[in-house]
Amino acid sequence: MTKHTDDIIIASKVDKHFGKVHALKNVSTTVKRGEVVVIIGPSGSGKSTFLRTLNQLEEVDSGSLIIDGVDMYARSTNINHLREDVGMVFQSFNLFPHKTALENVKLAPLKVSKRPEKEVHESAKELLYKVGLADRMQNFPSQLSGGQQQRVAIARALAMKPSIMLFDEPTSALDPEMVGEVLDVMKELAAEGMTMVVVTHEMGFAREVADRVLFMEEGALLVEDTPENFFDNPTHPRLVQFLSKVL
C-alpha cells in the first residue's frame, strides 16, 4: 500500500434530514490523498447520501466538510469550481444520447473549463484509450453496452482532471458479465494513486482494492477498518450479521 499523507477529505459531524428521515447521523471520517475508501451497508443506510454531500449534490444540515483544503460551506467557496475537482460516476450513465463517446468526454472541459479544443480532443482520445474504448470513440451511447457506457462516464469524469473520484454504485445497473470491465478500470485508477470514495455492493473489489472499508447503517457510520479486519475479523454485531448474508 502507498503511504498516504495529507487528508484530502475531512467530514466532521455531518448531519442530514430528508423530512422526518434522519439520513446522516453525525458522520465523521477522513480520506487521505491517494487512498481508496469503500462504503458498504444495506440499502437506505445513507451511503449514497453521504457520497453526494462530498460534492454538494446534497447539502448537509450541520457539520463540516473540507475538500482538498477548501471548506465547502464557507461563504467564499465557489461550489462549481470545487465540483470540477471532484469527479462523480453514478449508477446510471447519464451520457448525452445524441453525442458520440468522444463528444461526451470532451463536453465539460470545453464548456466548463474552457480548455483549447485541440488539447481537449487529444486528452479525450487518451482517456477513451485508457478505459479500453479506443475503437468506440465515434459510437453513440445507444451503440454501446452498459459496461462500455459506464467506462465512457468514467472517462468523462476524468476529463476534468479531478483530485478525487466518487463512485455511487457504478456497477449496480450492469449485467453481471459487464461488472468486471468497469471494476478493472477502477482498479487501474486506484493503482495510479487516484483518491477514490466508492459506494458498492462488490465485496471482492472492497477486499482487494480498498485501503479502508466503512460500514453504514441507518445514517450512522458504525465501522471503519482495514479490509483484512473488516472481512476476516469483524467485531461489530451488526457488521457480522450483514456479512453473513452477503458473503
Side-chain angles (χ1 to χ4, degrees), residues 208-227:
E208 185 186 340
V209 184
D211 293 293
R212 272 181 310 126
V213 187
L214 278 49
F215 177 69
M216 290 183 70
E217 176 164 82
E218 293 184 348
L221 175 54
L222 299 184
V223 180
E224 192 168 357
D225 214 334
T226 63

Side-chain angles (χ1 to χ4, degrees), residues 103-167:
E103 288 167 341
N104 266 286
V105 175
K106 286 168 63 172
L107 194 64
L110 285 174
K111 292 270 187 284
V112 181
S113 304
K114 306 279 193 273
R115 294 193 341 239
E117 159 75 36
K118 191 169 185 296
E119 177 204 318
V120 168
H121 187 78
E122 287 311 310
S123 162
K125 277 166 56 177
E126 277 170 34
L127 286 168
L128 286 167
Y129 182 78
K130 178 189 182 73
V131 298
L133 293 172
D135 57 342
R136 291 275 188 263
M137 294 190 190
Q138 299 307 328
N139 288 53
F140 291 94
S142 61
Q143 300 168 312
L144 300 172
S145 70
Q148 289 168 335
Q149 289 186 60
Q150 190 59 296
R151 285 183 282 150
V152 173
I154 293 172
R156 177 182 58 182
L158 291 171
M160 294 300 286
K161 303 183 177 174
S163 305
I164 302 165
M165 283 285 281
L166 308 178
F167 292 88

